[in-house]
Amino acid sequence: MASRQHINTGRSQSQSQGSENRLFIKGGKIVNADGTEDADILIEEGIIKEIGKNITIPSGIRTIDAGGKLIIPGGIDPHTHLQLPFMGTKSVDDFYIGTKAAIAGGTTMIIDFVIPEKRESLHDAYKKWRGWADKKVCCDYSLHVAVTWWSPEVKEEMENLVRCQGFNSFKMFMAYKDVLMVKDHELYEIFEHCKKLGALAQVHAENGDIIAENSKRVFSAGITGPEGHELSRPEDVEAEATHRACVLASQVNCPLYVVHVMSKSAANVIAAKRQEGCVVFGEPIAASLATDGTNYWNQCWRHAAAHVLSPPLRPDPTTPGYLMDLLAQDDLQLTATDNCTFTHEQKKMGCRDFRKIPNGVNGLEDRMSVIWEKGVHEGKMDASRFVAVTSTTAAKIFNLYPKKGVIAVGSDADIVVWDPEKTRTISAKTHHHATDSNIFEGMTCHGVPDYVICNGRVCVDQGQLKAVQGFGKFVSRKPFAPFVYDSLKEKDEKKKASMIPVQRSGFDGEMVSKTTSSKQSQHSTTNGDGNKPSNGEGSQATNGNNEGQANVGRSNGSGIPTGPDSSSNSRSTVKLHAPPGGHSSGFW
Ligand SMILES: O=C1CCNC(=O)N1
Ligand SMILES: [Zn+2]
Ligand SMILES: [Zn+2]
């Protein structure tokens, strides 16, 4: 059970006054990511003050009877795009409507994205987004910043945002060529800078160059409908970029977060890299966990276009179940929605050309119920894992924990009384989004919030939505999140230990003597990074094949670097083909 520590959250009494600044929740089963507990909860001034069985109830306090229900941390959606100017229009869920819809479904915090245009100051863009959001949000929110271009000024602004404005995450697009996309060498430098700042690097992982070429060819072949969207960016294009981002990040040992994982192939890349010991997090979204790309071939254009987002949903109908399995076993780590909604009128901008269909779907209101239905009710995960993937892990990754993401003394009173047996059928006719379609239309889900409490204010009251515009606050975040950065230290040390230059006797190019001892001698037959020289690299010592025995992932004591760090798994020593002179595990 989460430690019960007191945390100063900085929210003054007036901010959390709300309809009741004291609340008592009795009779429920508390579910945290690390366990469950039958206990009551006393809330005062927006903070969880006490958890236990025999709490003295102050007089005049409102009591919520949570008998037979679960008490879970409010959902945290770490990936939304509210009122985003995009593709010649603007997403219709703004910071008021979007956060109201979020609360209706049991989400009590969002993290949205500042997306500067190329050449736009990151700081100016940040101020713009704060101006849009602060007066509208119904629940607490935070922001990531997208790095859509690279220059010394951008580098400096990133540092200022981390040190002075409370940011610890930056997103880079590998797609949207010429609009948002950055190139590999820029990614390398941005990752290196994120690592130095103690920030998390997020990527939209699709190969933008391939998409640009494919889109032209698919359209020229006469395919103008939404099916062209998926045909132009099949899952290989997502998986390739996912792998490339992992390789780039590991060169500089930068922690990586892959947003909207939409395919089996990309998910497998993340799972494999995590097995190798890379610090990489995978974020499937409600859409990819509950529906699929066969919708792009629906006879109804409106239906098909409503499902257009990037990366696209995959036509393999087994994808959602596969991604949910990986999420249940922590090969994928947490869920979001990429909520970026457009009406049918807006989607019609692409009625003759799929490349012009505004990309984006809903999810904010329905994520919690959809994940409960497809994950818990279908028996793939328990309630604690549900809490982890909908709230706690996001709080830990983005350094909001334990202020957010846990039912613990001192934490914010962002709490949901969850009825696991109640059902609801999702429809655009009844949802709270501003859009006129819902990609989960007609889906009946178990798992419905009875009460949703935001910083002590009851915002869903026995199923009735009572969200208040402007009640939410911006939440800043510190760098070097322990959950992210603590596991990097060991890899940093290992690499430092292996970055030893080879000492050589002379530069006259004479054949050096064969190594006689197991440790690297003064006259080694290996090149600078400890590998056997191959065609044209280093001295031409001929020692037969280039193969060698190596303890993958562990220093072998001589300072010769080894392959990908697999120290985190039980893999034994493996026979490696010495890389042709490049570092197989990267260097930093
Ligand atoms: O990356 C993004 C931006 C907004 N919409 C979308 O579908 N993908
Ligand atoms: Zn994206
Ligand atoms: Zn997005």
Side-chain angles (χ1 to χ4, degrees):
M1 203 54 196
S3 60
R4 297 196 174 161
Q5 57 201 2
H6 184 82
I7 302 118
N8 173 10
T9 64
R11 181 182 289 276
S12 68
Q13 177 159 3
S14 59
Q15 285 174 325
S16 58
Q17 190 69 41
S19 55
E20 55 261 305
N21 68 353
R22 294 197 306 185
L23 206 50
F24 184 65
I25 304 174
K26 73 176 176 127
K29 176 187 283 293
I30 297 172
V31 182
N32 277 315
D34 63 355
T36 64
E37 178 184 10
D38 293 322
D40 303 334
I41 301 170
L42 176 63
I43 297 163
E44 282 182 4
E45 295 170 5
I47 305 295
I48 297 173
K49 286 294 188 226
E50 204 175 333
I51 295 173
K53 287 304 283 178
N54 306 304
I55 296 174
T56 308
I57 308 173
S59 61
I61 190 172
R62 179 178 178 187
T63 296
I64 288 175
D65 182 354
K69 308 292 170 40
L70 305 179
I71 303 175
I72 61 174
I76 299 174
D77 185 342
H79 188 164
T80 62
H81 300 286
L82 300 180
Q83 64 189 87
L84 173 69
F86 192 54
M87 295 180 74
T89 183
K90 185 167 73 170
S91 59
V92 283
D93 283 339
D94 66 3
F95 281 100
Y96 168 56
I97 293 171
T99 51
K100 188 158 63 115
I103 292 168
T107 289
T108 57
M109 179 167 187
I110 66 165
I111 309 182
D112 204 276
F113 287 84
V114 176
I115 304 186
E117 294 179 11
K118 283 189 186 294
R119 320 303 306 167
E120 181 181 9
S121 151
L122 274 61
H123 194 267
D124 291 352
Y126 159 58
K127 288 296 180 195
K128 187 165 60 176
W129 253 263
R130 286 295 302 269
W132 291 341
D134 282 2
K135 52 185 179 294
K136 286 187 175 180
V137 289
C138 304
C139 64
D140 283 359
Y141 82 107
S142 193
L143 292 166
H144 312 286
V145 175
V147 179
T148 55
W149 63 293
W150 187 234
S151 71
E153 295 78 15
V154 171
K155 185 172 182 178
E156 193 179 331
E157 287 203 302
M158 285 174 69
E159 180 156 4
N160 177 273
L161 285 165
V162 171
R163 299 205 195 293
C164 310
Q165 305 297 342
F167 280 83
N168 65 21
S169 48
F170 294 97
K171 176 183 179 180
M172 281 60 76
F173 289 87
M174 300 169 78
Y176 299 114
K177 186 173 183 178
D178 302 328
V179 181
L180 301 173
M181 181 175 140
V182 289
K183 298 183 173 68
D184 285 0
H185 75 274
E186 295 170 325
L187 266 182
Y188 186 106
E189 292 179 17
I190 296 165
F191 285 170
E192 197 170 38
H193 196 44
C194 286
K195 172 69 184 301
K196 174 173 164 267
L197 297 174
L200 178 66
Q202 301 171 288
V203 286
H204 172 129
E206 287 185 287
N207 185 313
D209 287 318
I210 294 177
I211 292 166
E213 295 308 317
N214 274 352
S215 300
K216 285 185 281 194
R217 282 159 184 70
V218 168
F219 186 76
S220 307
I223 298 174
T224 64
E227 71 278 14
H229 182 68
E230 206 282 335
L231 290 170
S232 62
R233 47 215 298 167
E235 68 177 86
D236 275 0
V237 172
E238 181 191 357
E240 182 277 333
T242 302
H243 185 267
R244 182 157 36 100
C246 290
V247 170
L248 280 162
S250 71
Q251 305 310 305
V252 292
N253 200 25
C254 175
L256 184 68
Y257 181 105
V258 181
V259 301
H260 47 44
V261 176
M262 303 296 290
S263 66
K264 292 179 175 180
S265 316
N268 290 339
V269 166
I270 293 165
K273 284 296 176 185
R274 285 175 61 86
Q275 276 290 315
E276 286 176 24
C278 294
V279 178
V280 54
F281 303 105
E283 175 211 86
I285 60 175
S288 60
L289 290 161
T291 187
D292 63 55
T294 56
N295 288 287
Y296 298 129
W297 279 265
N298 191 293
Q299 282 300 313
C300 169
W301 187 91
R302 173 178 181 152
H303 177 95
H307 289 76
V308 167
L309 80 157
S310 292
L313 295 161
R314 300 303 172 191
D316 175 350
T318 65
T319 301
Y322 187 87
L323 295 180
M324 187 61 82
D325 290 341
L326 266 61
L327 180 67
Q329 62 198 38
D330 200 32
D331 281 325
L332 296 173
Q333 283 64 51
L334 72 166
T335 66
T337 62
D338 199 10
N339 193 94
C340 188
T341 50
F342 300 98
T343 62
H344 174 52
E345 274 314 302
Q346 290 174 296
K347 290 277 187 176
K348 273 169 59 180
M349 292 165 68
C351 63
R352 290 185 180 74
D353 181 346
F354 65 84
R355 297 171 297 184
K356 300 194 174 80
I357 300 174
N359 291 190
V361 297
N362 62 288
L364 244 179
E365 179 167 355
D366 301 314
R367 176 180 65 121
M368 301 290 277
S369 294
V370 163
I371 304 299
W372 185 273
E373 174 67 22
K374 299 291 184 183
V376 182
H377 191 74
E378 290 193 5
K380 295 192 172 188
M381 65 174 73
D382 64 14
S384 284
R385 182 64 189 162
F386 171 80
V387 166
V389 303
T390 59
S391 182
T392 310
T393 304
K396 289 181 173 177
I397 288 174
F398 296 109
N399 218 4
L400 293 161
Y401 186 90
K403 172 183 171 65
K404 301 288 186 185
V406 63
I407 307 274
V409 171
S411 297
D412 286 1
D414 288 355
I415 297 172
V416 174
V417 178
W418 187 255
D419 185 338
E421 295 315 317
K422 195 179 227 175
T423 63
R424 70 185 180 92
T425 299
I426 296 171
S427 173
K429 296 183 186 65
T430 52
H431 71 196
H432 296 86
H433 289 282
T435 185
D436 48 9
S437 66
N438 188 311
I439 60 170
F440 309 113
E441 186 72 33
M443 187 182 292
T444 297
C445 297
H446 292 79
V448 179
D450 271 358
Y451 296 87
V452 179
I453 298 156
C454 301
N455 283 298
R457 177 193 284 270
V458 180
C459 296
V460 171
D461 195 339
Q462 299 169 84
Q464 296 303 308
L465 185 54
K466 298 180 175 176
V468 174
Q469 179 166 328
F471 177 67
K473 297 287 172 280
F474 176 76
V475 181
S476 60
R477 294 171 281 124
K478 292 186 170 27
F480 295 102
F483 187 76
V484 174
Y485 269 82
D486 284 1
S487 54
L488 286 170
K489 284 174 191 154
E490 187 189 340
K491 289 182 76 169
D492 279 337
E493 256 97 72
K494 233 180 239 173
K495 188 44 69 185
K496 223 173 275 167
S498 70
M499 294 295 278
I500 300 165
V502 172
Q503 304 303 317
R504 290 184 176 81
S505 53
F507 287 87
D508 51 11
E510 85 283 6
M511 272 296 283
V512 290
S513 61
K514 275 185 85 53
T515 306
T516 47
S517 69
S518 60
K519 279 189 76 56
Q520 189 167 335
S521 70
Q522 287 297 323
H523 306 291
S524 160
T525 58
T526 60
N527 58 25
D529 60 3
N531 294 303
K532 300 280 180 291
S534 57
N535 314 332
E537 177 177 291
S539 63
Q540 295 309 308
T542 52
N543 60 350
N545 65 37
N546 256 341
E547 293 203 337
Q549 288 283 351
N551 286 320
V552 175
R554 281 177 292 286
S555 164
N556 49 22
S558 70
I560 298 174
T562 57
D565 174 9
S566 65
S567 54
S568 59
N569 69 15
S570 57
R571 218 171 279 160
S572 60
T573 300
V574 292
K575 195 170 180 58
L576 288 177
H577 290 276
H583 289 263
S584 59
S585 67
F587 54 92
W588 45 85

